[in-house]
Amino acid sequence: MELSLSRVDYLQVGVTSQKTMKLLPASGRRATQKVAIGDNDGVITCFGIKKAEVVPVFKTLPGQRISRLELGGALGTPQEKVFVSTGSEVKGFTKRGKQFLSFETNLTESIKAMHISGSDLFLCASYIYNHYCDCKDQHYYLSGDKINDIICLPVDKVSRITPILACQDRFLRVLQGSDLKYQVEVPGPPSVLALNSGNGGVSGEELLYGTSDGKLGLIPITDTSLMHKWEISNEKKRGGILCIDSFDILGDGVKDLLLGRDDGMVEVYALDSAGEPILRYEQALSESVTSIQGGCVGKDGFDEILTATYSGWVMGLTTEPIHKEAGPGDELRISPEMQNKISSLRSELEQLQIKVLQERDKYQQSAQSSTAISAVPLFSVNDKFTLNQDDASYSLILEVQMAIDNVLVQSDVPVDLLDVDKNSAVVSFSRCDTEPNGNFLLATYRCQANTTRLELKIRSIEGQYGTMQAYITPRIQPKTCQVRQYQIKPLSLHQRTHCIDQDRPMNTLTLVGQFSFAEIHSWVVFCLPEVPEKTPVGESIIFYFKNTFLDTQLECSYRKGEGFFKSENISTISILKDVLSKEATKRKVNLNITYDINEDSVSHTLKMIHPKLEYQLLLAKKVQLIDGLKELQVHEGNSNFLIPEYRSILEEADQLLEEYKKQPAHLERLYGMITDLFIDKFKFKGANVKTKVPLLLEILDNYDQNSLIAFFDAT
């Protein structure tokens, strides 16, 4: 079944956060529904659509930022009461806009996630979970990492209260009271949770999760089995999932999955006979989709997908045919409703243009007066700096509520800027003086008109750490700029994992000294990404990491006065030794550092590098042959005379060149890692072998795995 949807823009509110829009229940079957949305100005707007016009139901006064909006009511009745979390407070409104609840919680920080079930209220701050019943404190839990979302299984189906937390460390934590019942590992940091079909499926135990790296999965939350039912990887390299809903938009009697992503993609997945999801529809919007709902909004009898975007646009993708095809001899007929709407929009536009001119003149006069006061206009920036597991690069996503004029990127650490296909901005590089100022990168991205979202990709080098800064200038007057800082950590290419292969040959670094648990934890936070800043509960902790570029692993276990670090990559141990000793010296802490080097670990690491190095060398050779082969093909008129290997190079020439272009300095990075491994191996033996590096590079230019391992062993 082909799905054809037309886009309709309804209205714009302020900047919105994730999961802050809901559709109120309809009064009749297939009747239009009211929309409730909260924004960062603290305003709740409730409206309906009548004759293609927005009809306001109620609108609240501004206040603190609304972080979540949920619907509630007594169990078994229509869920039509509107609840919002704002700061550390929860407010409740009737469907007519009358406030009936103002509950100040005992949370010391702002509410990040909220779920409501009857008289039960589930709230989460960054690390803290609280359960209230009739506004009375019931249960409390302190999470090991940041909480991104919370949901509870439907009590009417599972007959027990089962809250589930989506945590940044790639775990779903299932609670019972104030205790952790069990935790389930998922393939990425979970950013959003939803019940399958809106009610948990037949059993009420089916849970959907979306991750910040774009993966989607379904898992039954049962007491016996914790097997993932299905999982969709992010093969198209799309944005992270911010919102999920279940609604039968295809009209086949089975609820479909509606997804909104942070790169503006809206996707519809239908379930096949085996219950597996199949992509049936996709639509690209220009900014991140913070909320998504399926229902009937614009016109009776026509279902639609309603979305809210970061800058506050509320728009629908409706099944109602809006655009009529004009055949030969036919006149394009516009309905009276549409004509009225066009004329009202034109008059509104004229009034706005007059108002803009008046305000501009007023501003110019006040700016030139002797009592002029400079006022910097405020604007909201939504940014995300994450490590991509697939290509060991960092993505920096910047989103502004108005059009971006330019972005200046500055770094005091060597990084490479990579091409991004979705980017339409023009980049220019400035020469920078590395010695006096410590600048390694100065690049300016000039954006096209109406660009509100910019994605950059950078690649760092492990062992070199510092700060990257982005100066964001939007198209507003007077000119103003916001600066955002991002830390490039010493082991920047490492990613958290939950288990490692204990059979690999490991090198060990041991630290002993007069330091507290909080101090050594702060050092680990400084060295490695994806470590929670909050000191873990308990007396000791173990973290596992995987290098996204080489697939080597790292184990960090530490407590007060002791720290143990294990990795098969000597360079990882060397970086940790240098950085940790420097951090301890800053705090005037004496460290006793010992290390145990496993000789087999070097050849093991070289064997792990081998397939990547061999592939890059082969790719470089193929690219070098392309021009010559094309000349031969032109000279001979065809490529039939070539051997199959050369013919395949010609056939894949475009893909090979594209891949080679996307991997700048890839070969040099591998050479650099092997050189560092060589130097670090002998550094732990007390020898300086930098004079032998040219000989090593010569061996790499004529690469053979056995010759390389023999060189490492013989030196």
Side-chain angles (χ1 to χ4, degrees):
M1 185 188 298
E2 193 65 34
L3 184 60
S4 176
L5 301 176
S6 304
R7 174 174 162 171
V8 185
D9 293 352
Y10 290 122
L11 86 163
Q12 187 178 22
V13 295
V15 171
T16 64
S17 299
Q18 185 185 3
K19 293 175 81 171
T20 51
M21 181 193 72
K22 291 285 183 183
L23 285 176
L24 299 178
S27 53
R29 189 175 177 274
R30 303 205 81 180
T32 55
Q33 295 170 261
K34 304 291 188 292
V35 183
I37 183 167
D39 60 30
N40 286 9
D41 297 328
V43 176
I44 305 169
T45 305
C46 184
F47 68 92
I49 305 295
K50 196 169 184 181
K51 294 183 179 178
E53 290 289 330
V54 173
V55 180
V57 177
F58 71 86
K59 190 173 183 178
T60 64
L61 293 170
Q64 277 187 285
R65 180 178 80 92
I66 292 171
S67 56
R68 282 286 196 272
L69 185 147
E70 292 286 337
L71 298 181
L75 292 174
T77 65
Q79 305 292 290
E80 54 188 15
K81 290 185 171 71
V82 178
F83 294 88
V84 294
S85 59
T86 168
S88 59
E89 188 181 6
V90 175
K91 296 178 180 178
F93 297 84
T94 65
K95 63 179 180 179
R96 300 289 178 200
K98 184 182 178 184
Q99 185 173 344
F100 65 87
L101 175 70
S102 179
F103 173 48
E104 185 63 51
T105 67
N106 54 2
L107 293 169
T108 54
E109 54 180 314
S110 296
I111 297 163
K112 298 285 192 300
M114 174 174 75
H115 180 75
I116 290 170
S117 173
S119 56
D120 291 294
L121 173 65
F122 305 90
L123 299 177
C124 294
S126 292
Y127 295 89
I128 297 164
Y129 153 83
N130 269 90
H131 171 204
Y132 302 90
C133 184
D134 290 324
C135 296
K136 291 177 183 172
D137 208 340
Q138 298 290 309
H139 299 292
Y140 166 92
Y141 177 75
L142 182 63
S143 172
D145 209 333
K146 284 187 178 175
I147 302 167
N148 294 326
D149 203 5
I150 181 171
I151 205 161
C152 186
L153 297 182
V155 180
D156 54 340
K157 284 193 173 186
V158 296
S159 68
R160 64 181 185 278
I161 293 175
T162 311
I164 301 117
L165 310 180
C167 300
Q168 187 64 25
D169 57 358
R170 295 176 174 78
F171 273 128
L172 301 181
R173 289 183 165 88
V174 182
L175 305 181
Q176 188 168 28
S178 297
D179 301 317
L180 176 66
K181 193 176 181 183
Y182 56 80
Q183 53 192 18
V184 189
E185 187 181 348
V186 290
S191 51
V192 61
L193 300 176
L195 296 173
N196 189 28
S197 300
N199 58 6
V202 178
S203 64
E205 297 173 329
E206 292 183 349
L207 183 73
L208 291 161
Y209 64 84
T211 68
S212 59
D213 54 1
K215 300 183 181 79
L216 176 70
L218 176 67
I219 183 167
I221 303 296
T222 64
D223 291 331
T224 51
S225 169
L226 293 176
M227 293 294 291
H228 290 254
K229 204 166 184 181
W230 51 256
E231 183 186 301
I232 302 174
S233 60
N234 189 11
E235 290 178 4
K236 293 183 179 178
K237 305 289 182 292
R238 286 182 172 161
I241 299 171
L242 291 180
C243 44
I244 302 173
D245 192 31
S246 296
F247 182 75
D248 180 19
I249 191 70
L250 289 169
D252 57 1
V254 180
K255 285 192 175 180
D256 310 299
L257 296 181
L258 314 180
L259 256 65
R261 296 181 182 266
D262 66 15
D263 62 349
M265 287 302 298
V266 174
E267 296 176 338
V268 177
Y269 286 88
L271 300 177
D272 62 14
S273 55
E276 296 283 328
I278 304 163
L279 183 64
R280 299 299 296 271
Y281 177 83
E282 56 188 9
Q283 172 79 38
L285 306 179
S286 59
E287 50 191 295
S288 58
V289 181
T290 53
S291 303
I292 193 164
Q293 291 274 282
C296 178
V297 178
K299 195 171 184 182
D300 287 353
F302 290 100
D303 291 332
E304 66 184 88
I305 300 168
L306 193 73
T307 61
T309 66
Y310 169 71
S311 69
W313 275 108
V314 181
M315 46 188 123
L317 297 168
T318 177
T319 53
E320 182 188 2
I322 302 281
H323 306 290
K324 184 181 175 183
E325 296 289 331
D330 287 347
E331 290 182 7
L332 189 63
R333 293 182 179 85
I334 300 173
S335 66
E337 288 177 5
M338 193 58 72
Q339 284 177 340
N340 291 336
K341 191 173 182 180
I342 290 167
S343 61
S344 67
L345 283 170
R346 277 186 180 143
S347 63
E348 190 181 343
L349 189 61
E350 285 168 7
Q351 288 169 9
L352 284 170
Q353 285 172 336
I354 293 165
K355 195 173 180 182
V356 166
L357 289 170
Q358 288 172 348
E359 289 296 324
R360 190 171 286 166
D361 291 341
K362 189 177 170 184
Y363 174 75
Q364 292 292 344
Q365 288 168 8
S366 63
Q368 290 165 8
S369 71
S370 57
T371 56
I373 298 170
S374 176
V376 177
L378 296 174
F379 62 93
S380 178
V381 176
N382 180 27
D383 59 343
K384 182 179 166 188
F385 189 61
T386 51
L387 176 62
N388 301 314
Q389 186 177 346
D390 301 325
D391 58 0
S393 69
Y394 274 88
S395 279
L396 173 59
I397 297 167
L398 299 168
E399 193 168 15
V400 184
Q401 65 187 104
M402 68 271 295
I404 303 170
D405 187 12
N406 63 72
V407 174
L408 171 69
V409 180
Q410 179 268 334
S411 174
D412 61 8
V413 60
V415 292
D416 294 324
L417 280 178
L418 308 180
D419 282 340
V420 179
D421 294 336
K422 296 179 238 181
N423 240 345
S424 57
V426 177
V427 63
S428 56
F429 294 89
S430 304
R431 192 174 63 82
C432 35
D433 304 318
T434 53
E435 288 306 318
N437 303 320
N439 274 342
F440 284 91
L441 173 71
L442 277 174
T444 307
Y445 285 84
R446 289 178 177 82
C447 300
Q448 294 183 359
N450 301 323
T451 300
T452 58
R453 187 179 186 278
L454 185 67
E455 185 174 343
L456 318 179
K457 254 194 174 185
I458 66 147
R459 187 166 277 151
S460 58
I461 301 163
E462 287 207 323
Q464 304 200 29
Y465 54 97
T467 307
M468 189 179 82
Q469 299 186 110
Y471 296 78
I472 306 136
T473 308
R475 293 179 190 271
I476 52 172
Q477 293 295 335
K479 281 290 178 190
T480 185
C481 174
Q482 273 193 36
V483 185
R484 294 295 169 104
Q485 291 190 336
Y486 309 96
Q487 297 303 315
I488 309 290
K489 304 208 173 187
L491 293 174
S492 55
L493 300 182
H494 279 70
Q495 191 177 56
R496 279 277 298 276
T497 184
H498 296 298
C499 58
I500 59 170
D501 180 4
Q502 298 287 356
D503 296 330
R504 294 185 187 181
M506 305 289 266
N507 308 291
T508 306
L509 174 72
T510 305
L511 305 181
V512 178
Q514 295 296 314
F515 50 78
S516 67
F517 186 30
E519 275 181 314
I520 190 169
H521 179 71
S522 71
W523 301 342
V524 173
V525 169
F526 181 80
C527 289
L528 287 147
E530 299 192 358
V531 181
E533 290 183 8
K534 188 178 174 64
T535 305
V537 178
E539 295 181 355
S540 64
I541 191 72
I542 297 178
F543 289 121
Y544 298 114
F545 296 88
K546 183 180 76 173
N547 186 310
T548 53
F549 192 72
L550 295 180
D551 290 332
T552 56
Q553 55 192 26
L554 169 66
E555 178 186 318
C556 305
S557 60
Y558 52 92
R559 59 181 148 205
K560 181 184 175 182
E562 283 184 326
F564 305 95
F565 303 88
K566 296 179 183 177
S567 176
E568 75 265 47
N569 189 346
I570 286 181
S571 295
T572 302
I573 294 294
S574 175
I575 292 165
L576 277 170
K577 174 180 168 289
D578 293 345
V579 177
L580 291 172
S581 57
K582 193 181 284 186
E583 287 300 299
T585 305
K586 276 186 198 173
R587 290 170 172 79
K588 298 180 181 177
V589 175
N590 289 325
L591 286 184
N592 180 13
I593 301 176
T594 56
Y595 41 84
D596 179 21
I597 303 302
N598 189 326
E599 289 291 333
D600 296 334
S601 68
V602 177
S603 58
H604 171 82
T605 306
L606 288 172
K607 283 172 185 172
M608 293 193 75
I609 295 172
H610 169 70
K612 295 175 175 32
L613 185 58
E614 194 174 48
Y615 179 81
Q616 287 301 321
L617 286 165
L618 187 61
L619 178 64
K621 282 179 184 175
K622 284 180 177 179
V623 168
Q624 284 173 353
L625 287 170
I626 287 171
D627 287 342
L629 289 171
K630 280 185 176 177
E631 278 186 34
L632 281 171
Q633 186 183 23
V634 170
H635 187 265
E636 294 293 329
N638 60 54
S639 60
N640 296 337
F641 66 97
L642 294 172
I643 61 172
E645 183 189 344
Y646 289 164
R647 278 208 304 273
S648 70
I649 290 173
L650 274 176
E651 287 165 7
E652 298 167 7
D654 291 340
Q655 294 98 301
L656 291 170
L657 287 166
E658 186 67 29
E659 189 176 351
Y660 190 69
K661 183 186 165 190
K662 281 185 179 177
Q663 303 286 14
H666 206 103
L667 205 54
E668 286 81 354
R669 287 185 84 206
L670 288 165
Y671 278 18
M673 286 177 176
I674 293 168
T675 306
D676 289 343
L677 190 67
F678 179 66
I679 293 167
D680 291 333
K681 175 189 174 180
F682 291 96
K683 187 172 82 172
F684 280 106
K685 290 184 174 182
N688 189 337
V689 290
K690 287 184 180 177
T691 54
K692 295 184 180 180
V693 168
L695 188 57
L696 171 64
L697 293 172
E698 200 176 303
I699 289 169
L700 287 171
D701 286 338
N702 305 290
Y703 177 68
D704 174 69
Q705 186 185 2
N706 295 328
S707 303
L708 183 63
I709 292 172
F711 177 77
F712 267 75
D713 292 340
T715 304

